[in-house]
Amino acid sequence: MSDNPFGFSLPPEEPENGDEGKEKGKGDQGGPANPFGFGAGAGGADNPFAAMFGSLNPNDLGAAFQQLGQMLSYEGGPVNWDMAKQIARQTVAQGTADGTKDESVGPAERAAVEEAVRLADLWLDGVTSLPSGASTAVAWSRAEWVEATQPAWKELVDPVAERVGAAMGGVLPEEMQAMAGPLIGMMRSMGGAMFGQQLGQAVGVLAGEVVGSTDIGLPLGPAGKAALLPLNIAAFGKDLGVPKDEVRLYLALREAAHHRLFAHVPWLRSHLFGAVEGYARGIKVDTAKLEDAVGQLDVSNPEQLQEALQQGMFQPEDTPEQKAALARLETALALVEGWVDAVVHEAAKPRLTSADALRETLRRRRASGGPAEQTFATLIGLQLRPRRLRDASRLWASLTDARGVDGRDGLWEHPDMLPTASDLDDPDGFVHREQLDFSELDKMLGEAASRKDEPKDGPAAKGDDGKDDESK
């Protein structure tokens, strides 16, 4: 698994895992890993268009070149999202590795999901002070998940792609950029297509694994819409020996708990997405290598561009800013997942005989590289650490015992009240620490803002006699 954003690779002389990394890289004939994560296509061809074109025959060439023309004429943002959605849907249509194909959700499954979410919200009322955050419950196919989550993926990925795209367009001296306009435009179109291809494959694979809209710890679907994927839930519970209704209900508890948190902690979503954007601002691109590639590029030879992009020119530096952004994001995600794990367990334990088994299965799924870890490792270089998630869950459970449900959930009122990474190392110290009260500070800030908004020509702007000071 790559721990660099969009599959950005380390230089060939510094394999990711030493000699072990060299062994793993033999499939590339000793060459550097593809920076955009393009794998071997059909028939072993290593090209960025394999996922889009597939195995071509002469009858497909017309359509293939038409798609290629659309790709090169793309003039949108840093990611070709039309291509991303197309490839994601094609990936979904191919089915998962176990041969399961996507299928429409029937009325009976939709009714079962609605009932599971309704019951889950009822159970959660007794274990958290946060009210329901789901106004509707829906059952999605994999293709519907792709469509519904695309706006969130745009918000997450565009900042990273924008930073790399700006480097691609700015490597030439300013006086040469006007002359090289067509070349720069082509590079940006190619970059948008490559990011689109990468994202399309990642989202398409993820659609075959996720069981809801909040699996990766972020609200990927529309606000207030609790969503479950019946087909993936069936695959998840296939070999567990647990009744299907219990599996669905446990996963509905997790989905509903996430929605409560994101609906009633207004700063949380922007905090998480902002950490991703903060990481993007810290990306450094090896512009010298990119300049060399551009200077030697033969625009009539597209394979040369592909070869240049495989030389590791997009190598993000491990800057302090990026470390801070990733640490902030990792801790926040651990706290979100830990809170959900704790409240769901409290709600399910007395009612579901399989609660412990389902909890451990989900934890092992994450520890062995589940969809959340894979997605973040591929897109932004974040490795979710299961140890942090367990630590966070234990901390929230201890807070419940020490301060009660209201005292525990009250910590979400302000980001500065939440536990830090060091608090996860010493949960008892945090649990018994004197609580901070931000209510007076918020009140003072609100009053100051109100005074600032008062009209300048009001009584305060005049003298004691009601006349303007300037007239005295």
Side-chain angles (χ1 to χ4, degrees):
M1 183 193 309
S2 167
D3 61 357
N4 294 306
F6 289 95
F8 296 143
S9 60
L10 295 171
E13 66 272 12
E14 295 179 9
E16 191 171 3
N17 297 309
D19 293 337
E20 181 183 354
K22 293 179 182 178
E23 290 296 321
K24 291 181 179 179
K26 284 183 178 180
D28 296 328
Q29 288 79 41
N34 190 315
F36 288 94
F38 297 135
D46 186 15
N47 72 83
F49 312 117
M52 180 171 63
F53 297 151
S55 299
L56 295 180
N57 58 55
N59 295 329
D60 296 328
L61 287 177
F65 280 112
Q66 182 179 6
Q67 286 183 307
L68 181 59
Q70 292 172 350
M71 180 190 73
L72 294 177
S73 63
Y74 173 72
E75 296 179 351
V79 178
N80 189 331
W81 286 104
D82 290 337
M83 175 178 289
K85 183 165 69 172
Q86 177 185 356
I87 292 176
R89 291 187 68 101
Q90 289 177 354
T91 303
V92 165
Q94 292 170 3
T96 51
D98 62 359
T100 305
K101 299 286 187 180
D102 193 24
E103 58 187 35
S104 299
V105 180
E109 290 173 320
R110 293 187 186 279
V113 166
E114 291 173 1
E115 175 61 20
V117 173
R118 184 198 65 78
L119 186 56
D121 256 337
L122 184 63
W123 289 3
L124 288 172
D125 284 339
V127 296
T128 174
S129 61
L130 299 180
S132 174
S135 56
T136 58
V138 294
W140 284 341
S141 67
R142 293 167 179 170
E144 287 174 321
W145 183 91
V146 169
E147 293 282 349
T149 61
Q150 188 170 22
W153 288 119
K154 286 183 179 180
E155 191 174 349
L156 279 170
V157 175
D158 271 348
V160 179
E162 181 70 47
R163 180 66 188 88
V164 175
M168 292 180 69
V171 294
L172 294 178
E174 189 173 341
E175 61 274 12
M176 293 181 61
Q177 289 192 15
M179 298 173 57
L183 174 61
I184 294 175
M186 185 192 76
M187 291 184 66
R188 284 177 173 165
S189 295
M190 290 289 289
M194 290 175 176
F195 279 113
Q197 191 266 358
Q198 169 80 4
L199 260 296
Q201 285 188 331
V203 171
V205 171
L206 197 60
E209 300 176 339
V210 294
V211 294
S213 70
T214 56
D215 262 27
I216 68 171
L218 290 172
L220 295 181
K225 186 173 288 187
L228 295 176
L229 282 71
L231 184 62
N232 291 356
I233 290 176
F236 171 80
K238 183 178 179 181
D239 299 319
L240 296 181
V242 176
K244 183 178 180 179
D245 290 346
E246 287 200 20
V247 175
R248 184 194 302 113
L249 184 50
Y250 191 88
L251 297 176
L253 281 165
R254 290 184 52 83
E255 177 78 2
H258 276 103
H259 276 275
R260 287 184 181 231
L261 201 55
F262 286 109
H264 301 291
V265 182
W267 56 265
L268 182 56
R269 187 183 190 280
S270 60
H271 179 77
L272 292 169
F273 281 62
V276 177
E277 189 171 353
Y279 173 87
R281 286 196 298 268
I283 289 178
K284 305 295 182 183
V285 180
D286 190 342
T287 54
K289 193 171 291 187
L290 188 55
E291 288 172 4
D292 291 342
V294 172
Q296 301 172 13
L297 185 63
D298 178 4
V299 295
S300 64
N301 184 3
E303 292 182 0
Q304 191 179 66
L305 176 61
Q306 171 66 12
E307 182 179 352
L309 291 173
Q310 291 180 336
Q311 301 306 312
M313 66 183 68
F314 301 127
Q315 296 165 17
E317 297 180 6
D318 197 11
T319 63
E321 294 80 8
Q322 284 180 306
K323 286 182 178 180
L326 289 181
R328 187 167 68 252
L329 180 59
E330 183 182 58
T331 300
L333 284 170
L335 291 174
V336 168
E337 289 298 284
W339 183 87
V340 168
D341 180 79
V343 299
V344 166
H345 184 69
E346 190 176 352
K349 177 72 172 176
R351 300 177 174 96
L352 298 178
T353 57
S354 57
D356 288 331
L358 288 169
R359 184 189 203 187
E360 190 59 29
T361 297
L362 285 164
R363 285 180 167 182
R364 290 181 179 179
R365 185 184 188 221
R366 179 68 54 82
S368 62
E373 187 175 0
Q374 292 171 1
T375 300
F376 277 101
T378 301
L379 299 184
I380 59 173
L382 175 67
Q383 294 278 2
L384 288 181
R385 293 178 294 172
R387 182 179 64 83
R388 298 281 82 180
L389 301 180
R390 290 178 183 267
D391 291 344
S393 180
R394 284 195 293 267
L395 186 146
W396 288 118
S398 297
L399 281 168
T400 307
D401 294 337
R403 303 184 187 181
V405 169
D406 291 341
R408 178 200 66 197
D409 294 347
L411 293 178
W412 290 105
E413 291 180 2
H414 196 286
D416 290 341
M417 296 176 68
L418 287 178
T420 64
S422 60
D423 291 326
L424 295 180
D425 295 326
D426 181 23
D428 290 337
F430 179 83
V431 168
H432 299 293
R433 187 183 307 161
E434 184 178 352
Q435 301 182 48
L436 298 176
D437 185 0
F438 284 83
S439 58
E440 287 300 318
L441 176 60
D442 289 339
K443 181 179 178 182
M444 292 171 58
L445 292 174
E447 291 174 351
S450 299
R451 288 194 298 269
K452 186 177 180 181
D453 292 338
E454 287 182 356
K456 298 295 184 182
D457 56 352
K462 299 178 183 292
D464 293 337
D465 57 358
K467 296 180 180 179
D468 293 339
D469 291 340
E470 291 181 354
S471 64
K472 291 185 177 180

